[in-house]
Amino acid sequence: MRAYDIILKKRNRSALSREEIDYLVSGYVSGAVPDYQMAAFAMAVYFQGMTRAETLDLTLAMVASGDTVSLAEIPGIKVDKHSTGGVGDTTTLVLAPLVAAAGAPVAKMSGRGLGHTGGTLDKLEAIPGFTAALSAAAMIRAVREVGVAVVGQTANLVPADKMLYALRDVTATVDSLPLIAASIMSKKLAAGADALVLDVKTGDGAFLKDLEAAAALAGAMVEIGLGAGRETVALITNMDQPLGRAVGNALEVEEAILTLQGRGPADLEALCLLLGGEMLHLAGIAASPAAGQEKLRGIIAGGEGLAKFRELIRSQQGDARVAEDFSLLPRARTRVPVKSPTDGYVRRIKAEAVGRGAMLLGAGRETKDAAIDPAAGIILLKKIGDPVSAGEPLAELHTGHGPLSPPVEAARRLVLDAFECGAEPVPQPPLLLGRVDRSGCFRRINNG
Ligand code: URA
Ligand code: CA
C-alpha cells in the first residue's frame, strides 16, 4: 500500500477501505507517512467527504492509535457528555455532580480551553487547591467512592487526533464534517463511556453556523457511536448568545454553584436539565428523558446536587467552602462596564466575539501553553429579549489588566459590537432546535 494511492483515490472521490484508512492513520502516527501527505489527504477529505463507513473506520483507527480507558471496574452504565465549542458553556460543572447525585456514575475526561472557547479543567482549577491531574486508576477509585471525577485526558489518548488536529489547524481543514466527527468521537470512545449524550451547538460561536450543518454533524457522530456499540443521542442547541451570564473560569464556577442552588440563569438550567435528562435515561436510571429531567429538578431543589459538587471538590483536593463563600474564589482587580449606546431590546449576542473578548481579558489562551487568569471574564448583564436604555451597562468586564489598557479597550469594543439591539421587543430564543435519537433519526424541534 502507498499513501500516494490512497490520497489519489480519495481525491477522485472513491471510498477507502478500512485497511487503507488504518494504513494511513497508523503510518502518520509512526512517522512513516509525512505531514505533507496527511495534509493532502485532509484536503481531499475536505472536498470529497467520507461515507458513514469511512468515517467510522477513521474514528476507530484514531482510537487505536493510543491508549484507551476501561471503566469496567465502575459498576453501572457510564454515560459521558460532550458539547461542541460553546462560549460560557458551564454545563459540565453543573451536570457532573447533578447526574452523579441522581446515581449515575460520572467519569469525565475534560480538556483545556483554546481560543474563544473555555475548558472545563481551567474552570475547575479556578477553585483553590483543585487538581485534575489524576491517573486513570485514581479517577476510577474516585468515581467508585464519590460517584464522580473530572480529570485531564491521559497523555496518550488518541495521539492521531492531536497530530491531525494540529495539521488541520494550519491547512484550512478544520471545518470538515467527517474530520470533526471522527476527532470528537475518537476521544469520547477512547475515554471508555458506555453511552454518550452530545450537545451540538449551532449559531455564532459554533463551527457549524446553521441547523442543517449541525444536524448533519450530530447524525454523523450518533452513527459513529452506534457503529462502535455505544448508545448515543445528540441534541442540537442554539448558540445565538453565550450560555448563562458568566464567561470565564472562576465566574463560571460561581454560576455553576448558583445553578446547583436553583438560582442560576434560566437558559443554563434548562440546558443542564435537557442534557442531564438524556444522560439519566441512557444510564437506565430514568424511564424517559422527561422523567430524568423531573428527577434532576428534585435533586436541585433538595440540595443534593450542590452537596455532590462539594464532595467532588474535596475528593480532588479543592477548597469546598467555595460552595458557600464565593469570596474564596479568585477575584479580578478591575471591573469595567460596557455601556449601551442606545435604547432598545437585545436581539443577539454574538458568542464568538464575547469568547474572544474574555480571552483578551485573560480568561483564555491564544496558544496552547499560554497562562490564564482564573479571575478574568465577562458577566452579561443583559440577554436576548431584555430591554436596555442608553448608558445602561450591557456587560461587566473582569480583568487583572488596567482598565485603560489596550487589551481591555479591545475587549470592550468586541463585547459592545457583539450586542445587537433593535427597537422592537424580541421573544426569548428557543434553546433546543433538534434531536438525533439513538437510531440516528433527526427530528427538528418546533418551538412554537
Ligand atoms: N473539537 C474537536 O475535538 N475536534 C474537532 O475537529 C473540532 C472540534
Ligand atoms: Ca455561562
Side-chain angles (χ1 to χ4, degrees), residues 243-297:
L243 194 60
R245 294 190 177 276
V247 181
N249 299 296
L251 295 173
E252 288 186 59
V253 169
E254 205 172 306
E255 180 171 72
I257 291 165
L258 289 171
T259 305
L260 288 165
Q261 290 171 337
R263 301 192 288 147
D267 60 344
L268 175 60
E269 180 183 283
L271 184 56
C272 288
L273 291 173
L274 280 167
L275 293 169
E278 298 281 358
M279 291 173 78
L280 291 190
H281 181 223
L282 290 186
I285 285 177
S288 66
Q293 283 201 44
E294 262 325 290
K295 192 170 174 78
L296 294 175
R297 274 201 190 89

Side-chain angles (χ1 to χ4, degrees), residues 98-138:
L98 192 60
V99 166
V106 176
K108 182 123 195 78
M109 287 198 169
S110 274
R112 295 184 190 284
L114 186 62
H116 69 274
T117 59
T120 295
L121 294 190
D122 298 322
K123 297 172 193 180
L124 284 168
E125 285 174 353
I127 299 168
F130 190 96
T131 178
L134 270 62
S135 65

